[in-house]
Amino acid sequence: MNTFFSFTGKEFRHILRDGRTMLILLVMPIVLIFLFGYAVSTEVKNTRVAVVDLSEGGSAAKLIGRIAANPRFTLVASLPSPDRLDKGFRTGQWDMALVFSPKFNLRPTHQEADLLMAVDGSEPNQAAVRAAYAQTLLLAPDEGRISPPIDLKTKWLHNPQGRSEYHFVPGVMGLILIIVCAMMTSVAIVREKEHGTMEVLLASPLSPSVIVVSKLVPYFALSCINLITILMLSFFLLDVPLAGGLGILLLVCLLYIAVALALGLLISTLAATRLSAMMTSLLLIVPTIYLSGIVFPIESMPAVLRHLSALVPARWFVSAVRKVMIQGVEARHVWRECCVLAIMFATAMSVGLKNFKTRLQ
Amino acid sequence: MMLLNLVEKEFKQLLRNAFLPRMFLLMPLTMVLVFPYAANQEVKRLGLAVIDGDGSASSRRLTEKLKASSHFDFVGQTSDLTAADEEMKHGTVDVVLEMPAGFERDFANMGKTAVSVSINAANAMKAAMAQAYVTQIVNGYAGELIAEGHAFPSDTSHATRASSIVPRFLFNPSLDYKNYMIPAIVAMLLVLVVGFLPTFNIVGEKERGTIEQINVSPIRPAVFIFSKLIPYWAIGLFLLGYAMLAAWVVHGLRPTGSVGVIFLFASLFVLVISALALIVSNHSSTTQAAAFLMYFFLVVFLLMSGLLTPISSMPQWAQWLTLLNPFRFFMEAMRGLYLKGCTLADLAPQLLALCAFALVFGSWALLSYRKQTK
Amino acid sequence: MINIDNISKNYDRGRIAALRAVNFSVNEGEIFGLVGADGAGKTTLFRLLATLLLPDGGRASVGGFDVVRDYRRVRRIIGYMPGRFSLYPDLTVEENLRFFAAVFGVKAERNLPLVADIYEHLQPFRTRRADQLSGGMKQKLALCCALIHAPRLLLLDEPTTGIDPVSRRELWEMLRRLNEERGLTIVAGTPYREEVLCCRRAALLREGRLEAVGRPDEILPPERPIGRQRSIGRGNPVIVAEGLTKRFGDFTACDSIDLRVEAGEIFGFLGANGAGKTTAMRMLCGLSEPTEGRAFVAGFDVASQAEEVKRNIGYMSQKFALYDDLTIEENLKLFGAIYGMKASVVREKTEQTIARQRLERERKMPVGNLPIGLKQRLAFAVATFHDPKIVFLDEPTGGVDAETRHRFWELIGQAADRGITIFVTTHYMDEAERCDRVSIMVDGRIEALDTPSSLKEKHGAASMHDVFFAIVRKQNPGGRTLPQHPTP
């Protein structure tokens, strides 16, 4: 037991003395949370509109006024003719253009479009949402009139203000934990190989499991610190709710950390140098970014990628955390995710321990 | 002569590496083939549950319309909201549409009726898209009903106009998300090849001690640095062309702007990135430190570049900050050239900004490389 | 204590035979030497005995336990020190020691008396990080760590590579004491002749085969004759240093060095680890600016005309600063171009060099695949390729066997005959004997500077080894360590 403690103590010293890496590890989660919390957002906040009003007697003025008054839209230009619209779209001066034809009046004709709406479609999601906003706004009845034929009452559950950080926080957790646990652990083990100290450790009567576990414990602690930082920041600063039980959330997190640590061990048994350990962990980090639903929805991907994503631990973690934190579900709703993570842990750990040699070569 | 020989040496080393040449061939292909599907924020296959409290012909017709949409995956009919909510907790349902009893009758009698939609907004983007899709389908359906004479609303002006305002989507008429991502992915490729590899290369020479041998020789620092960078520039620009070709063959996407201008921008951007790589390698003594530093820069720069999420969605202060990010200008230029058919004149601000970055980063890089220690 | 019975080991799926049916035994309480050129199989043998490798054939036992079946018991009774210092660079002296004690489940305090006379030297630097110790100190610490669990057998794989003669002698005195007082069995591999002579018996390996076992003087090849006297013209100095000083913060690495090296001279620049040799050399090469004083190399000021200096010198560092993934020809071509030589000249000189060094067979091979002796000769060829006036060699022969060193020094002699001035640092005192003049640096100052023969006379010593020991010991009884500054 004493051996174990002093081994773990040594690992902590390694971490604490590598100032720059330590700083990056501790600051990275904070920077990411700030970026995702404040700067990176998918909300459609502002649409810049250019208007060409060719209608007779300014009959479109009312609708134009409605656009100008809406906080989602900013009227950036009022042009006499549609000629300059294209240039403005290309240089990014406006996102949407409304052209009211000379025939536009309050009595619509069915034959031809008397109001033309053009939207910059390069970013399709923003374009679709902008078009839908504008449509609804233009179609909405004037005050005092009746509502449209089918009145759509929409309710956004769990996130009524539609804030994107609710969605990003679990993703950031998934990413940070895999970097800290898998990448750092594998680098730490491989470092001993490079320094030649592994040779001495192996030639000692120390059992391999003690070596492995004492290597993992400090990174486990570090990821717990990261986890707490992220949770505190998101809860107190970003007002991301913690709708479900804290207990079940921690359980999911611990399971995920365990999987990531086991993967780190596995990588360290495969790599001979720190550089190759880092390259191998990139093979883990890249799918974590793209195939875990952190930013990109998995459901929209082609079948091959959807099946592939089932192999990415972060996918299950992010899904479970999102449910627990935002939707506030109970344990029985996330048992599937937990089981998958547990199986992944068992597999990675047993293969890792089996490959961890007690001899060289 | 000296430079030529040094460049030749770099090329030989690159090509003799067991890993790099293969990576140069495979990475662009993988990125162009797979990433547009993976790095895609398109919202499809939203789980939809319907609570049909009316059970009439009209309510069934609306259900059919929703089922037919490619945006939704119809999960099933449920009896009430609690049951639907349970499904939502398991993660199978994202959208619940509820048509109350009297849906058809109210429409026929009073010319108006109500439908309520509950959306799981844990992912705000998905919720916004779901709402936009439902709105389109329901509005369209109302227009149909009126046109068919099922209802005679007191004022038809707005309802009819519902079907008459059809938004025209410029530059990407099919609203294909892949088209938006491909130019950015091609840009990413440049960043990886011209940013990461020279950093590892230079720090690697430090670690192996070969840089000592260079430092005691009369070679000028600039010559040495350029000999390191030129091969990566050449490879980077070659891979750019290769990736653009692959995007054309696989996804049928061609730049609508001039290819020459794309290469002009790419060359400028390559200067900026390699200067950044040099700064990082001059300030790190081990590959591990360099990798961490580079990785950190890259994450921040990419997140703030508009690659994943639009800059216009950021708060104002963050939008100001993006002006310090060279990636932002290159992404804008690439997307403008690929999708919008921009001309060089349209992109003058981006061009000037990248020139400024190249100048600042370039001189910083040269100043921070020293052969002699104090 | 050790019984090795017909043991063999192959690498690379049998393509490389590292050990071929080796047989010998080591008695309890013996100091046993393992001698052989690089690649002879010494390290493989050590690793087999340390139970780190499985033999492909034959058996071996340590202390009566089989190294394959009873490897756990074997691990309990051995102390092992691999070739590289297996220390944690970011832990302090004390932390390293405590950690290795804990690995074997013993209390560092209880076993400290065992290593007391070694640890005494380390005591003042208890709280210093291992990467800030000098080579000699690191080695003592590594030895303490290997001894802290009171092993019965100590395996030392080239423990003294890159270590100065004084530290080496101290180490061997300690080993002898441990052996006499505690009956510790020691097996050590070493390329140094005088160290092999300290062993009771030794085994000579060549290409994986056991050549001989017996008394060291029976095994070792006869010593080579020491270099001839050469006459050097005076009054034409190519290196002049006047009060050359370098400070890092408040640490003075080089303290007001004065020296003159004549054209065509072989100048040995000696000193203990951390005495400031490398710092001085870096200043003379124009890599580092002097804090005070002046130095002229080939007539140019190293501070203000560094680039001119570089044009006129060649440099070979401790590490092989050649590109592993380029061939011999390509390396030569590259460095020729760096020094601005014409392509035709480069071609001609490449042929000359290849012919002179008999490298026809290897010319198209990547340098990384060459044996270490060849790499060293090639590095020398690169350093002299552009016909520099002076060549600086920083421990060019670290860790190679006597034969390889001998051939290397033949090259040095040839270059000197061509009129190239040689400025060389070394820890081998037989190499120092071959220099025209030597200086000995202690704590940043030059304490002695003369021809080897007059130095020996002055100190009444039989060899340069004794001269060195006398000078360094007098000035510096405890040895000093590197300061807390980033390694340049």
Side-chain angles (χ1 to χ4, degrees):
Chain A
M1 213 53 208
N2 183 32
T3 310
F4 172 73
F5 280 129
S6 59
F7 205 134
T8 315
K10 180 208 84 163
E11 290 307 315
F12 272 113
R13 291 203 184 97
H14 286 319
I15 297 175
L16 292 174
R17 286 192 189 155
D18 187 359
R20 196 195 265 186
T21 309
M22 173 89 177
L23 195 71
I24 289 185
L25 285 182
L26 290 182
V27 171
M28 180 96 113
I30 299 175
V31 171
L32 280 186
I33 281 287
F34 266 88
L35 283 179
F36 274 110
Y38 291 110
V40 175
S41 156
T42 49
E43 290 159 50
V44 181
K45 289 208 171 105
N46 186 21
T47 306
R48 291 161 304 163
V49 187
V51 173
V52 182
D53 185 2
L54 306 172
S55 67
E56 283 161 20
S59 51
K62 210 162 164 189
L63 280 181
I64 295 173
R66 210 190 272 183
I67 296 275
N70 191 292
R72 290 182 194 274
F73 294 91
T74 314
L75 206 58
V76 287
S78 205
L79 305 171
S81 84
D83 304 339
R84 273 199 50 224
L85 280 180
D86 189 48
K87 167 105 177 150
F89 272 118
R90 274 191 280 120
T91 51
Q93 281 173 282
W94 44 75
D95 313 300
M96 179 187 279
L98 295 171
V99 182
F100 295 89
S101 74
K103 290 198 189 113
F104 184 88
N105 54 42
L106 288 176
R107 296 225 61 84
T109 56
H110 288 259
Q111 276 72 31
E112 49 194 300
D114 40 22
L115 167 55
L116 188 104
M117 182 200 293
V119 186
D120 180 346
S122 22
E123 210 283 273
N125 284 359
Q126 300 264 318
V129 172
R130 280 178 174 143
Y133 278 160
Q135 247 179 335
T136 312
L137 187 68
L138 292 172
L139 294 175
D142 299 341
E143 277 131 299
R145 300 253 183 131
I146 54 155
S147 46
I150 300 181
D151 184 16
L152 202 59
K153 295 194 174 70
T154 319
K155 199 165 122 202
W156 284 24
L157 304 175
H158 313 302
N159 180 10
Q161 293 146 300
R163 291 174 38 194
S164 45
E165 55 266 35
Y166 283 25
H167 168 67
F168 286 137
V169 163
V172 172
M173 278 161 66
L175 188 61
I176 292 284
L177 292 179
I178 207 106
I179 292 176
V180 172
C181 298
M183 181 144 117
M184 296 312 297
T185 313
S186 61
V187 167
I189 298 180
V190 172
R191 195 170 79 139
E192 299 237 6
K193 289 192 199 173
E194 283 192 322
H195 281 316
T197 43
M198 193 53 104
E199 235 175 290
V200 177
L201 293 185
L202 290 180
S204 78
L206 212 56
S207 109
S209 52
V210 173
I211 302 182
V212 167
V213 174
S214 12
K215 278 270 164 196
L216 299 185
V217 164
Y219 291 95
F220 176 77
L222 199 62
S223 32
C224 286
I225 295 177
N226 279 331
L227 185 67
I228 293 168
T229 321
I230 296 175
L231 284 179
M232 300 275 263
L233 281 177
S234 53
F235 189 76
F236 290 110
L237 211 64
L238 303 182
D239 294 322
V240 174
L242 183 54
L246 188 62
I248 179 74
L249 178 66
L250 290 181
L251 176 77
V252 173
C253 291
L254 292 185
L255 253 175
Y256 180 67
I257 291 175
V259 175
L261 287 173
L263 285 173
L265 171 67
L266 193 61
I267 292 172
S268 76
T269 62
L270 299 174
T273 64
R274 274 180 279 179
L275 194 62
S276 68
M278 265 191 290
M279 287 297 186
T280 321
S281 354
L282 269 188
L283 290 183
L284 210 61
I285 292 170
V286 169
T288 301
I289 296 172
Y290 292 100
L291 291 180
S292 66
I294 290 179
V295 185
F296 310 107
I298 297 167
E299 309 82 62
S300 313
M301 294 175 190
V304 188
L305 290 180
R306 263 181 290 152
H307 294 309
L308 216 58
S309 77
L311 296 174
V312 180
R315 180 220 158 133
W316 302 98
F317 169 74
V318 169
S319 152
V321 169
R322 213 168 265 165
K323 282 191 202 170
V324 173
M325 273 181 87
I326 316 296
Q327 285 175 250
V329 301
E330 291 145 45
R332 66 196 161 89
H333 294 112
V334 292
W335 69 269
R336 214 159 73 101
E337 283 89 345
C338 290
C339 280
V340 173
L341 286 176
I343 293 170
M344 284 176 166
F345 168 70
T347 319
M349 197 69 188
S350 49
V351 176
L353 277 178
K354 192 166 155 282
N355 282 3
F356 189 87
K357 299 206 181 67
T358 52
R359 297 171 198 273
L360 295 173
Q361 286 226 318
Chain B
M1 165 70 186
M2 199 186 281
L3 185 63
L4 209 67
N5 271 287
L6 280 164
V7 170
E8 188 189 333
K9 164 215 154 212
E10 291 298 328
F11 266 116
K12 276 185 186 148
Q13 287 187 307
L14 275 177
L15 295 178
R16 255 170 228 178
N17 190 300
F19 168 69
L20 288 178
R22 264 176 266 177
M23 193 185 85
F24 288 147
L25 284 181
L26 289 179
M27 194 170 72
L29 274 186
T30 333
M31 283 181 81
V32 171
L33 284 182
V34 180
F35 277 36
Y37 294 103
N40 194 316
Q41 297 200 52
E42 210 164 26
V43 177
K44 279 194 222 156
R45 300 192 192 87
L46 289 157
L48 172 76
V50 172
I51 303 170
D52 190 348
D54 196 37
S56 59
S58 308
S59 68
R60 276 198 299 276
R61 209 170 131 195
L62 180 56
T63 311
E64 286 309 313
K65 283 214 164 293
L66 288 163
K67 270 188 190 176
S69 158
S70 68
H71 298 299
F72 298 104
D73 252 3
F74 186 67
V75 177
Q77 303 254 2
T78 44
S79 48
D80 55 18
L81 257 177
T82 2
D85 191 49
E86 185 68 17
E87 288 293 309
M88 205 178 267
K89 282 180 177 166
H90 278 297
T92 44
V93 164
D94 304 296
V95 182
V96 184
L97 183 95
E98 189 182 12
M99 289 172 281
F103 172 77
E104 190 179 51
R105 191 191 59 224
D106 287 353
F107 196 75
N109 295 350
M110 303 188 289
K112 64 168 194 158
T113 187
V115 179
S116 56
V117 185
S118 309
I119 305 171
N120 179 4
N123 180 347
M125 186 70 209
K126 248 161 106 174
M129 297 310 294
Q131 184 176 353
Y133 297 147
V134 174
T135 310
Q136 257 172 21
I137 292 170
V138 171
N139 280 348
Y141 180 55
E144 260 177 55
L145 286 182
I146 292 161
E148 288 165 17
H150 290 291
F152 304 97
S154 46
D155 179 357
T156 56
S157 63
H158 290 291
T160 32
R161 204 172 290 133
S163 35
S164 72
I165 307 178
V166 179
R168 243 181 60 204
F169 295 107
L170 305 173
F171 310 128
N172 186 5
S174 54
L175 287 189
D176 188 342
Y177 209 91
K178 289 200 291 299
N179 292 349
Y180 179 65
M181 287 311 284
I182 287 167
I185 287 165
V186 173
M188 277 280 293
L189 186 74
L190 267 189
V191 173
L192 292 180
V193 173
V194 188
F196 264 94
L197 297 180
T199 314
F200 289 159
N201 184 320
I202 293 174
V203 181
E205 288 225 14
K206 275 194 203 175
E207 279 185 326
R208 269 177 304 164
T210 40
I211 209 156
E212 282 269 282
Q213 199 74 52
I214 298 292
N215 283 349
V216 291
S217 73
I219 191 169
R220 284 215 308 280
V223 174
F224 179 65
I225 286 179
F226 279 117
S227 77
K228 288 266 153 205
L229 296 181
I230 288 171
Y232 292 101
W233 294 347
I235 291 172
L237 292 180
F238 168 74
L239 290 186
L240 175 71
Y242 176 38
M244 280 165 59
L245 195 69
W248 184 22
V249 172
V250 178
H251 302 285
L253 186 71
R254 264 188 308 170
T256 47
S258 140
V259 175
V261 179
I262 290 190
F263 274 91
L264 172 71
F265 268 95
S267 319
L268 236 127
F269 183 61
V270 150
L271 277 180
V272 177
I273 293 300
S274 34
L276 187 69
L278 272 177
I279 295 170
V280 168
S281 55
N282 288 343
H283 289 287
S284 355
S285 50
T286 64
T287 339
Q288 188 188 346
F292 271 141
L293 211 60
M294 203 64 200
Y295 186 72
F296 186 76
F297 270 123
L298 217 62
V299 166
V300 175
F301 274 157
L302 284 181
L303 283 178
M304 298 294 282
S305 71
L307 170 79
L308 300 178
T309 58
I311 289 176
S312 61
S313 300
M314 296 179 182
Q316 195 55 49
W317 60 265
Q319 293 196 27
W320 288 116
L321 273 183
T322 61
L323 294 178
L324 297 174
N325 182 356
F327 289 40
R328 176 213 154 127
F329 298 102
F330 186 59
M331 294 287 170
E332 275 178 357
M334 281 299 275
R335 283 183 171 142
L337 284 162
Y338 244 97
L339 300 174
K340 298 189 183 177
C342 290
T343 59
L344 191 56
D346 293 333
L347 295 171
Q350 281 83 357
L351 191 73
L352 286 178
L354 281 177
C355 283
F357 278 113
L359 206 67
V360 173
F361 283 18
S363 29
W364 181 0
L366 283 179
L367 287 177
S368 64
Y369 176 83
R370 296 187 61 86
K371 279 172 78 178
Q372 200 172 30
T373 51
K374 275 279 165 208
Chain C
M1 188 73 201
I2 299 178
N3 239 316
I4 297 172
D5 182 11
N6 240 350
I7 214 156
S8 7
K9 175 78 192 170
N10 300 319
Y11 290 120
D12 213 2
R13 291 194 208 91
R15 255 175 287 173
I16 301 164
L19 288 176
R20 312 176 205 221
V22 172
N23 269 306
F24 68 88
S25 53
V26 177
N27 302 325
E28 179 108 42
E30 204 172 19
I31 299 186
F32 192 90
L34 216 47
V35 192
D38 300 289
K42 290 180 305 220
T43 298
T44 306
L45 193 55
F46 275 117
R47 288 182 171 169
L48 280 167
L49 292 176
T51 75
L52 288 172
L53 289 177
L54 292 173
D56 291 330
R59 285 146 47 96
S61 68
V62 172
F65 303 116
D66 188 272
V67 292
V68 179
R69 268 178 296 120
D70 279 335
Y71 72 94
R72 286 182 192 279
R73 293 227 180 107
V74 173
R75 288 178 181 187
R76 234 170 264 286
I77 60 167
I78 57 166
Y80 171 51
M81 201 171 129
R84 301 173 283 172
F85 301 125
S86 51
L87 297 168
Y88 293 99
D90 51 349
L91 295 188
T92 66
V93 169
E94 207 171 15
E95 285 163 351
N96 265 298
L97 196 62
R98 270 178 206 286
F99 172 70
F100 282 105
V103 162
F104 287 89
V106 297
K107 278 242 180 310
E109 283 77 10
R110 217 185 51 211
N111 278 359
L112 212 51
L114 281 180
V115 292
D117 53 341
I118 315 175
Y119 195 62
E120 192 192 326
H121 294 276
L122 293 163
Q123 197 73 26
F125 315 109
R126 261 186 10 248
T127 53
R128 186 166 282 186
R129 284 169 49 146
D131 56 359
Q132 283 157 354
L133 296 175
S134 70
M137 286 290 159
K138 275 187 197 160
Q139 176 216 34
K140 282 173 194 151
L141 176 57
L143 186 64
C144 282
C145 292
L147 285 170
I148 192 73
H149 62 290
R152 286 168 55 202
L153 169 67
L154 187 59
L155 300 173
L156 303 171
D157 186 3
E158 302 215 349
T160 50
T161 298
I163 302 297
D164 64 79
V166 174
S167 300
R168 260 169 30 215
R169 185 180 278 200
E170 282 173 355
L171 182 91
W172 277 89
E173 278 166 12
M174 287 166 195
L175 291 180
R176 199 152 29 198
R177 255 202 311 276
L178 282 165
N179 174 260
E180 281 165 10
E181 290 167 14
R182 304 190 183 272
L184 180 70
T185 313
I186 297 169
V187 179
T190 174
Y192 293 93
R193 187 183 179 86
E194 64 269 21
E195 295 184 3
V196 182
L197 291 170
C198 293
C199 302
R200 188 180 302 164
R201 289 196 306 144
L204 175 66
L205 290 173
R206 179 164 295 156
E207 290 172 3
R209 284 204 187 78
L210 184 67
E211 291 274 305
V213 185
R215 288 216 322 273
D217 48 344
E218 296 166 359
I219 284 183
L220 287 172
E223 213 166 347
R224 300 254 175 196
I226 295 167
R228 65 257 120 94
Q229 278 298 327
R230 294 159 11 110
S231 54
I232 302 297
R234 296 282 151 204
N236 184 19
V238 286
I239 302 176
V240 179
E242 291 163 358
L244 199 61
T245 301
K246 180 79 181 184
R247 289 196 197 89
F248 299 102
D250 30 341
F251 172 77
T252 309
C254 282
D255 193 357
S256 167
I257 289 178
D258 294 304
L259 61 82
R260 297 165 89 78
V261 177
E262 302 291 332
E265 197 172 15
I266 301 179
F267 189 85
F269 196 56
L270 313 182
N273 295 109
K277 295 189 305 287
T278 303
T279 310
M281 199 145 166
R282 289 176 62 88
M283 282 192 284
L284 292 176
C285 291
L287 281 176
S288 166
E289 262 180 60
T291 318
E292 268 167 36
R294 294 189 309 167
F296 296 89
V297 171
F300 298 103
D301 186 338
V302 296
S304 58
Q305 295 169 298
E307 296 308 309
E308 292 301 320
V309 168
K310 288 174 186 175
R311 222 175 283 285
N312 287 290
I313 61 166
Y315 175 77
M316 177 177 164
S317 69
Q318 296 170 10
K319 294 190 249 177
F320 295 109
L322 297 176
Y323 292 96
D324 276 350
D325 40 5
L326 297 182
T327 66
I328 294 180
E329 283 182 325
E330 286 163 353
N331 265 297
L332 289 173
K333 186 177 167 200
L334 171 70
F335 282 101
I338 286 176
Y339 283 92
M341 292 160 69
K342 281 210 186 70
S344 56
V345 180
V346 169
R347 262 197 302 279
E348 192 183 313
K349 293 218 61 173
T350 303
E351 294 307 322
Q352 258 179 34
T353 307
I354 287 175
R356 193 187 304 144
Q357 305 233 23
R358 283 158 300 192
L359 294 170
E360 287 84 0
R361 222 155 33 94
E362 293 90 350
R363 62 190 296 167
K364 301 261 185 232
M365 267 163 66
V367 169
N369 299 348
L370 299 176
I372 187 166
L374 213 54
K375 276 194 204 168
Q376 276 168 331
R377 289 188 359 239
L378 189 65
F380 185 73
V382 164
T384 53
F385 195 62
H386 56 287
D387 285 327
K389 291 205 177 80
I390 307 146
V391 185
F392 289 88
L393 306 171
D394 193 3
E395 290 184 33
T397 52
V400 301
D401 58 283
E403 178 59 30
T404 312
R405 288 197 295 122
H406 179 74
R407 293 179 62 183
F408 188 81
W409 272 82
E410 281 175 358
L411 282 182
I412 291 183
Q414 286 167 15
D417 290 343
R418 271 183 282 149
I420 297 178
T421 308
I422 312 278
F423 190 92
V424 59
T425 70
T426 179
H427 287 319
Y428 292 92
M429 288 305 120
D430 57 337
E431 293 182 357
E433 308 261 12
R434 302 175 82 148
C435 298
D436 295 322
R437 284 192 306 150
V438 297
S439 71
I440 298 179
M441 225 176 148
V442 181
D443 281 359
R445 291 169 162 278
I446 289 183
E447 293 294 341
L449 198 168
D450 212 331
T451 60
S453 49
S454 41
L455 278 176
K456 278 186 275 190
E457 215 169 285
K458 202 190 293 171
H459 290 84
S463 66
M464 271 311 291
H465 206 274
D466 296 330
V467 173
F468 188 88
F469 205 73
I471 292 172
V472 174
R473 249 303 157 78
K474 183 179 74 200
Q475 297 295 329
N476 186 27
R480 99 177 155 160
T481 50
L482 291 176
Q484 303 253 0
H485 68 79
T487 35

